[in-house]
Amino acid sequence: MTLKTKAPAGMLAALPLVLFMLVAFGLPAVAMLTGAFSTSSDAPGGAQWTTANLTDSVQGAYLTGLVSSVKLSALSALLAAVLGLPLAQAVVTSRHRALREGVLAASGVLANFGGVPLAFAFIATLGNAGVLTEHLGLTGAGWSLYTFWGLVVVYLYFLLPLMVLAITPALEGLRKQWREAAQNNGATGFQYWRYVALPVLAPSLLGGYVLLFGSAFAAYATAAALGSGSVPLITVQIADALSGNVLVGQGNIALALSLDMVVVAGLVMAVYVPLQRRSARWLD
């Protein structure tokens, strides 16, 4: 009798969340799907079902933008993962609690620092007339912020702190007994990391990499504010198609591009979730 009364009460408590999910995610998803598979109502003949939008979204300039976004996200995530692991290890093993908490707090802030403010900060320091660009003569060395590698440097600014936050709990889960047992058996520090720590951390590292990839893949405001027309990105192309900057009446193709991004994000999550479960099983 008690279970029967608790079940409806639990369902009622979850009802606001269900309604929020339907409104915030369900309605936009339905609008995206119907728009991606139909023509615009302003088109000759009115709205009709079609797969032409999806076909156009994976060829020509749009395919170039999708591939460029994947390359930029994969490379910047890889660099952030490689650089973030030793930094997080230094934070975890630090004897100064204030320093450790300060770095983690700063990482939390910097991981969410993006968009126009971040673009302005890099333009002021590393742009064509930036302070460091002129002081160090970077232009003569071939540096340009508005290139593929310029965007990689900008993305590292928020991906590196995000990697520190993502991998720190896993590093804290490494038990001292494992290192002591390895040392007692004659293992060097390199051998401990090669045969003990890294295999245990592998699911967390891969999960962190996937998380960074998803964050970089969805980034829009920073690249748009930098005006990086020389680096085609799918997020910027979606905005251009919706606003009609290039061609008028491309709104449905923008929805098809959004559907492409959802597919890529779904593949990313399909990898991320099992990796997180495996990592939690090792480190609990």
Side-chain angles (χ1 to χ4, degrees):
M1 183 64 181
T2 304
L3 292 176
K4 291 182 179 179
T5 56
K6 284 184 177 179
M11 294 178 64
L12 287 175
L15 185 59
L17 177 62
V18 174
L19 291 176
F20 174 79
M21 295 291 289
L22 289 175
V23 173
F25 297 100
L27 293 180
V30 172
M32 180 183 63
L33 285 173
T34 54
F37 286 98
S38 64
T39 59
S40 172
S41 58
D42 298 330
Q48 296 178 355
W49 295 110
T50 180
T51 58
N53 296 325
L54 286 177
T55 303
D56 293 339
S57 70
V58 291
Q59 63 184 9
Y62 295 127
L63 177 61
T64 303
L66 178 61
V67 173
S68 179
S69 292
V70 171
K71 286 182 178 178
L72 176 63
S73 305
L75 181 60
S76 55
L78 177 62
L79 292 176
V82 171
L83 297 175
L85 177 61
L87 179 58
Q89 174 65 10
V91 171
V92 170
T93 56
S94 174
R95 297 180 179 178
H96 303 284
R97 182 177 178 182
L99 176 63
R100 174 184 173 184
E101 293 180 351
V103 171
L104 292 178
S107 298
V109 174
L110 296 177
N112 294 282
F113 184 70
V116 176
L118 179 61
F120 175 76
F122 269 90
I123 290 173
T125 54
L126 292 172
N128 291 338
V131 176
L132 290 181
T133 302
E134 292 187 347
H135 184 72
L136 301 177
L138 296 179
T139 303
W143 163 259
S144 176
L145 181 64
Y146 312 103
T147 61
F148 180 86
W149 286 104
L151 281 179
V152 170
V153 172
V154 176
Y155 278 27
L156 283 176
Y157 190 84
F158 61 87
L159 291 180
L160 190 55
L162 183 59
M163 183 60 188
V164 172
L165 294 177
I167 200 62
T168 294
L171 289 172
E172 290 177 336
L174 291 177
R175 299 171 186 172
K176 294 181 180 178
Q177 295 88 338
W178 296 346
R179 178 184 286 273
E180 293 171 355
Q183 291 174 342
N184 290 337
N185 285 280
T188 62
F190 174 79
Q191 290 173 326
Y192 163 73
W193 280 97
R194 168 67 177 82
Y195 296 106
V196 179
L198 286 179
V200 173
L201 292 174
S204 298
L205 287 173
L206 292 175
Y209 174 79
V210 171
L211 180 65
L212 300 183
F213 175 87
S215 179
F217 188 67
Y220 159 71
T222 303
L226 285 173
S228 56
S230 58
V231 184
L233 298 177
I234 187 172
T235 50
V236 178
Q237 289 177 335
I238 291 174
D240 290 340
L242 286 174
S243 61
N245 282 345
V246 181
L247 293 174
V248 179
Q250 300 292 303
N252 291 69
I253 292 183
L255 295 174
L257 291 171
S258 302
L259 184 59
D260 295 340
M261 288 193 69
V262 170
V263 172
V264 174
L267 294 175
V268 169
M269 291 304 299
V271 175
Y272 178 70
V273 172
L275 287 175
Q276 279 297 98
R277 290 178 178 172
R278 184 175 180 182
S279 174
R281 188 168 62 247
W282 269 102
L283 298 172
D284 278 346

